[in-house]
């Protein structure tokens, strides 16, 4: 029986891909004099944590001090872009009603994100995420989390919820995230927003407006 739902955040609950790409492109050009290609974004940035992406740009392992400094520069640019674009600074359409419905249906829910603490705190304050999520159960990049597509983020999310892979559905937008969930043994993966539909996802939805707990159960035959 399905009892839990785990959500990726960036590109899934918050459609910020354009801001992430702009921030990374600006940062890479200024800091490393590099241009990030679209293919590189898919393979080395979407769904990845900052350490992985920054060491990819740098071409070598970074010390924690170097990493912290670079993260602060990139994420400061990103958060500024979010604040400027107030018209689009909101959760993915349908998110609030869908999360309300899951909570009413006694689903246990959490987030598994590659975002670090500063961005996570920014999201919780800006979107009042504590209406649905317990910050203590959220899996984020704490400096120890292995980057998607490693199974680590979703294994930890399952442990936080005290549920098995068979009891959970995952909502993702990135190939690395879909692979991560699959590596954790989760077979029910719903793809949100991005196209085309990725391999090993069992349902695609543009956003959350057409989804409900009942529909998820019916579509997944649970």
């Amino acid at each position: 029986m399905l009892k839990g739902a785990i959500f990726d955040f960036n590109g899934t609950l918050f459609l910020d891909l354009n801001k992430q790409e702009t921030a990374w492109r600006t940062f890479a050009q200024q800091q490393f004099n590099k241009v990030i290609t679209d293919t590189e974004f898919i393979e080395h940035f979407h769904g990845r944590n900052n350490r992985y992406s920054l060491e990819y740009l740098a071409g070598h392992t970074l010390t924690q001090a170097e990493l912290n400094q670079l993260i602060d520069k990139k994420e400061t640019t990103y958060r500024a872009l979010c604040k400027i674009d107030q018209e689009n600074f909101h959760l993915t359409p349908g998110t609030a009603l869908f999360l309300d419905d899951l909570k009413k249906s006694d689903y246990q829910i959490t987030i598994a994100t590659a975002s670090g603490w500063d961005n996570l705190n920014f999201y919780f304050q800006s979107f009042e995420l504590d209406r649905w999520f317990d910050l203590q159960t959220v899996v984020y990049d704490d400096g120890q989390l292995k980057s998607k597509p490693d199974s680590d983020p979703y294994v930890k999310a399952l442990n936080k919820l005290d549920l098995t892979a068979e009891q959970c559905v995952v909502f993702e937008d990135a190939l690395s995230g879909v692979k991560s969930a699959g590596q954790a043994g989760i077979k029910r993966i719903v793809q949100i927003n991005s196209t085309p539909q990725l391999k090993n996802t069992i349902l695609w939805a543009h956003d959350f407006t057409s989804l409900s707990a009942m529909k998820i159960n019916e579509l997944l035959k649970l």
Side-chain angles (χ1 to χ4, degrees):
M1 180 180 178
L2 197 62
K3 295 183 177 180
I6 307 172
F7 294 83
D8 170 58
F9 193 81
N10 303 92
T12 301
L13 290 178
F14 176 39
L15 304 183
D16 64 341
L17 182 59
N18 61 332
K19 297 174 183 63
Q20 289 283 359
E21 290 192 354
T22 299
W24 274 116
R25 289 185 194 279
T26 301
F27 171 81
Q29 183 67 52
Q30 293 177 346
Q31 190 70 34
F32 297 102
N33 195 30
K34 289 185 176 181
V35 175
I36 303 172
T37 67
D38 291 342
T39 299
E40 284 179 306
F41 264 114
I42 293 172
E43 295 181 357
H44 300 291
F45 294 86
H46 292 173
R48 301 280 192 170
N49 65 22
N50 277 323
R51 176 178 285 279
Y52 176 91
S53 298
L54 287 168
E55 290 184 342
Y56 171 77
L57 284 175
H60 59 81
T61 301
L62 298 169
T63 66
Q64 191 60 50
E66 291 172 329
L67 184 65
N68 290 342
Q69 184 179 42
L70 293 173
I71 288 174
D72 185 62
K73 287 183 179 180
K74 183 268 173 179
E75 299 302 357
T76 297
T77 299
Y78 163 75
R79 290 192 294 271
L81 290 171
C82 290
K83 292 177 181 178
I84 290 171
D85 186 14
Q86 285 296 308
E87 182 179 354
N88 295 301
F89 190 45
H90 55 74
L91 295 174
T92 302
T95 295
L97 289 177
F98 183 54
L99 293 178
D100 284 343
D101 191 49
L102 290 180
K103 296 292 283 186
K104 289 177 183 177
S105 300
D106 294 324
Y107 272 68
Q108 296 182 58
I109 63 175
T110 193
I111 296 168
T113 178
S115 292
W117 172 254
D118 287 345
N119 279 1
L120 183 63
N121 189 48
F122 174 64
Y123 300 140
F124 260 77
Q125 291 185 4
S126 300
F127 302 131
E128 299 179 340
L129 294 178
D130 55 2
R131 288 180 287 171
W132 307 287
F133 298 101
D134 179 357
L135 187 56
Q136 298 302 313
T137 70
V138 173
V139 177
Y140 65 96
D141 183 11
D142 58 358
Q144 304 299 317
L145 187 71
K146 294 179 181 178
S147 180
K148 299 174 184 179
D150 192 277
S151 64
D152 194 34
Y154 284 106
V155 168
K156 288 183 175 177
L158 290 171
N159 289 337
K160 292 262 191 179
L161 295 179
D162 194 24
L163 295 174
T164 66
E166 292 74 21
Q167 293 173 313
C168 283
V169 58
V170 160
F171 295 85
E172 263 284 358
D173 74 304
L175 178 60
S176 60
V178 170
K179 288 182 176 180
S180 175
Q183 295 273 22
I186 301 171
K187 300 185 183 301
R188 300 178 177 94
I189 305 172
V190 177
Q191 182 180 340
I192 298 295
N193 178 47
S194 57
T195 56
Q197 184 168 350
L198 300 170
K199 183 180 179 181
N200 297 327
T201 59
I202 58 178
L203 176 66
W204 178 90
H206 180 66
D207 53 33
F208 293 99
T209 55
S210 63
L211 299 180
S212 66
M214 181 179 293
K215 186 170 184 178
I216 288 295
N217 287 336
E218 290 176 351
L219 289 172
L220 302 185
K221 298 179 181 179
L222 299 170

